[in-house]
Structure formats: C-alpha cells, structure tokens
Amino acid sequence: MLQLGWKAGTEQYPPGELLDYVIAAEEAGFDSVDASDHFHPWSEQGQACFVWSWLGAAAAKTSRLVLGTGVTCPILRYHPAVIAQAAATVAALAPERFYLGVGTGEALNEYSATGAWPSYRVRQAQMIEAIELIRALWSGEKVTHRGEYYQTRGAKLYTRPPRPIPIYISSLVPDSARIAGRHGDGLITVSGEEAEVYREMLRKFDDGAREAGKNPATMSRMIEIGVAYTDDEEQAIACRKAYWAGSAIPAMYTERIYTPAMSEANGKAVGAETIKQSVYISADPDEHVKMAQRYIELGFDHLIFHSGGPDQRAFIESYGRDVLPRLRSKTRNVRPAERRSGSGAERKRAPRPQQPAAGARARPRARHATGRKHAH
C-alpha cells in the first residue's frame, strides 16, 4: 500500500516547533514522518536536536503516523547496542509504527563527534555488522558479540517492541542498493536523479534481496522528494540554499567536511539550477501529483515529501488538503512497477521485517552468542 510521508527536518527547526508540525502532519493526512538524525546541521543558522528524544515525544503526541529515522548512522557516534535500545524504546511507545533507517553517515555528524572517519568500505562493513548486532539484541536474548568492529558481553534489552522493527538502508547510488536488499527490509533514497538511475538502483536492490532468500516484492522502497508548493520559485530556492545547500554536495558524504561552516562554504557552489533539479517547485497540485506518480511508476511505494519552508505549517496543511487526496485517488488502483499492492486495506503500521529463507546465502560477518548459546 502506498505511503505518503512528511520530512521532519531537525537540521532546520527547533524541536518544539517540529513537534507542533508532526501533530499537524497527522491531522493533515500524512501517513508517516521521517526525521533526520544529525549532530550538526548543514548550515550555521540551522538546528540539530537529539532525534531520539524528539521521536519519543512524537510517539506520545501521535496515534496513527508511522515514525522513522532518515537516517541514523549506527557505527561511530553511536554503538549499535545503544541504537538497538533507542529504537526498541520508540517502537514500544509507538507499536507497529516505527522503522529504523540506517546509513554510513557523514563526517558532519560522525567525525565532528568522534574524531573518526574510516573509508566508505570500512563504514559499510561496520554498518552491516551493526545491523546484525541490533537484530540480535531485539531478539530479547543475552548477546555476547565478538565482531570485527563491535563487542558486547551478555547484553540484553529488557524493553523490547512487540514485533521486530523493519530496518531500511540508505542508498544514494545503485551499487549500494544491493547491500540494502541483502541486509535490510527496505531501501531509502532521495530524488533528483534520472529515471534510469532509479531503475538500476531498484534492480540491484531486488538482486540483493533474492541473494539473501527474501522476496523483494514485499520490501519497502522509500524515496525522499524535495518539493516546494508555491509559485514563488525565488523564495523556494533561497530557503533551500539557506539551510540545505550543503546536502547537495556529493563530497559531504565521503570527505572529512565536518562543521556547518564548512558545509556552508561548499554549499555556495550550489546554484539555482542544481536546486531545481532536486526540488519540484510548483503551486499546481495536479503537477505535484504527476511528479509523484513518476516515482510510483518506477517502483517506489513510500514517498516522503520534504519542504524547506519558509512556512512549514502552511505547506503541511495545503499539501495534505490539495495534493495527498488527489495522489491517493490517482494511484488507488495502480501498482508500482513489478510490485503487488496487497489487500488494498489502508496500512497504519510499518511493514514487518522479513526473515531470510532457509539456505539463503547471506551470512553474518561476526560471531555472537545469545543466551541460548547459538553461535553465528
């Protein structure tokens, strides 16, 4: 079932204001809220609250919205055991309406807080091991983990969610999508690329899922789409440049660029045309529906709409009133590419994780033992 969500930009708004917006998003008819997990914002004038505290408040203030991180880096600034506990707590407060989005991080958040910034390949291996450890802890058993990167000794979560939490893995390029399919329950990416890039990304995601013995047709494909619901193109571009320009610089995800001032300096290279390629700007609701339908036809089933302001409440209310109902009406009987939509009943919960089939090729990298003395 198609899910339509709103992006909670912790890098732009203070937590109390953002909490008001999440309540408004539920009232406006959004299905989900995807919240950034940042230590530093992209801009010196931005914000960066501790998202796990905010998610607890959001869980208490909402009753229907699916909540999730977009995304958490569970490898440097956090030990995976801490993320396992944090996610389990939020899922206990919001049963069956929480997912954990993970990725390999940015130096903006990780190097600044820890002084460590390994190569991408090392961070990817760390993420895979972190996912394994997180899932082991969610089992409720005592876990002694002796991995290449992480250690635990008799660690056990005593507050756990009623059901396993789906893990979605960030993929900004097709090559990393296979990892998302192999080790995750879903994929998260962002808009702004050509259609063929997404087709290749989803093909590799499907391949990775099958290699792990999973059915890719039942796994979520999420995309964050930059939008501005306005006819004031100049103001929409100015808001993006003020708070989010650094996020458009590829080097921010690979190099040791670790302060908001450094992000801003790099973001000066981002011009209006670059922003218009990644942010859909229009005051016509039907044009927004057509734009969103293109992503659905590519195979995405969870769309997160990210507005950079200036009036976030007005965006939430008007988009919920004008765009979401039109989009749902247009897509009610349309299946994403090569996907099955299920029963057609409206889903109010995060999709359940899949377990690899017996004999699947995916194997853990590290060894850990649970209280049942299973070795992996």
Side-chain angles (χ1 to χ4, degrees):
M1 174 65 80
L2 179 68
Q3 296 272 288
L4 305 175
W6 170 71
K7 179 70 175 183
T10 62
E11 305 97 307
Q12 183 171 359
Y13 298 102
E17 185 176 347
L18 208 60
L19 193 60
D20 291 338
Y21 294 151
V22 79
I23 296 168
E26 182 167 73
E27 293 173 349
F30 285 87
D31 299 314
S32 63
V33 169
D34 185 73
S36 308
D37 184 352
H38 268 239
F39 185 78
H40 277 162
W42 300 101
S43 163
E44 283 287 350
Q45 60 185 306
Q47 293 277 324
C49 71
F50 186 56
V51 74
W52 294 99
S53 300
W54 185 85
L55 283 166
K61 288 289 187 179
T62 58
S63 60
R64 180 184 58 81
L65 285 175
V66 172
L67 307 171
T69 55
V71 295
T72 287
C73 178
I75 62 175
L76 294 170
R77 181 167 43 114
Y78 303 120
H79 190 283
V82 173
I83 292 302
Q85 184 184 34
T89 301
V90 176
L93 291 168
E96 298 190 58
R97 56 186 188 97
F98 178 74
Y99 62 87
L100 175 62
V102 299
T104 55
E106 302 101 27
L108 185 69
N109 304 307
E110 309 308 319
Y111 181 76
S112 59
T114 69
W117 187 240
S119 70
Y120 172 72
R121 291 300 176 194
V122 170
R123 286 183 284 120
Q124 188 178 72
Q126 288 177 306
M127 181 190 69
I128 291 168
E129 184 179 326
I131 290 169
E132 177 197 348
L133 177 53
I134 288 167
R135 285 190 171 130
L137 287 164
W138 285 343
S139 74
E141 301 295 330
K142 290 183 179 179
V143 178
T144 293
H145 180 90
R146 295 180 175 88
E148 185 174 354
Y149 303 105
Y150 307 107
Q151 303 281 322
T152 63
R153 296 295 183 270
K156 178 178 178 178
L157 293 184
Y158 287 84
T159 297
R160 300 189 309 280
R163 299 183 186 276
I165 301 166
I167 296 177
Y168 301 160
I169 299 178
S170 173
S171 177
L172 299 182
V173 295
D175 285 347
S176 62
R178 187 183 297 270
I179 297 294
R182 188 179 299 157
H183 299 280
D185 302 300
L187 170 144
I188 302 178
T189 192
V190 296
S191 63
E193 301 291 344
E194 296 295 329
E196 186 52 40
V197 172
Y198 296 116
R199 292 190 186 100
E200 184 182 1
M201 184 181 293
L202 295 182
R203 281 195 296 268
K204 292 192 174 184
F205 174 71
D206 288 356
D207 290 344
R210 292 189 186 100
E211 289 166 5
K214 296 180 286 188
N215 180 4
T218 62
M219 299 169 69
S220 184
R221 296 162 168 86
M222 177 188 294
I223 186 165
E224 179 186 316
I225 305 171
V227 295
Y229 189 38
T230 178
D231 56 6
D232 191 339
E233 183 178 278
E234 184 176 345
Q235 186 182 45
I237 291 171
C239 286
R240 284 280 168 173
K241 292 184 74 171
Y243 291 97
W244 300 94
S247 67
I249 301 296
M252 291 297 301
Y253 304 93
T254 58
E255 305 305 315
R256 201 169 293 175
I257 305 172
Y258 59 93
T259 69
M262 294 168 74
S263 172
E264 278 190 12
N266 281 270
K268 289 179 181 178
V270 177
E273 290 304 313
T274 299
I275 291 175
K276 285 192 286 185
Q277 287 176 7
S278 60
V279 179
Y280 191 79
I281 304 171
S282 172
D284 185 339
D286 291 322
E287 290 302 315
H288 280 265
V289 168
K290 290 177 184 177
M291 173 275 299
Q293 282 182 298
R294 290 196 286 271
Y295 288 106
I296 295 167
E297 289 166 1
L298 284 169
F300 293 99
D301 61 5
H302 195 161
L303 278 51
I304 302 292
F305 298 105
H306 179 199
S307 167
D311 190 336
Q312 194 67 224
R313 180 178 290 276
F315 167 77
I316 290 168
E317 293 174 350
S318 60
Y319 219 73
R321 180 187 64 242
D322 302 339
V323 178
L324 300 191
R326 281 179 168 87
L327 182 54
R328 290 190 179 107
S329 176
K330 290 280 188 180
T331 59
R332 187 170 292 125
N333 298 315
V334 177
R335 296 177 178 180
E338 299 181 2
R339 303 292 304 283
R340 293 184 180 179
S341 61
S343 65
E346 185 176 3
R347 183 169 61 191
K348 302 295 185 182
R349 64 189 67 174
R352 296 181 187 175
Q354 294 190 72
Q355 297 298 323
R361 295 196 317 177
R363 295 179 59 192
R365 291 176 48 85
R367 296 179 61 196
H368 63 258
T370 70
R372 292 178 182 172
K373 299 184 180 178
H374 290 173
H376 298 269

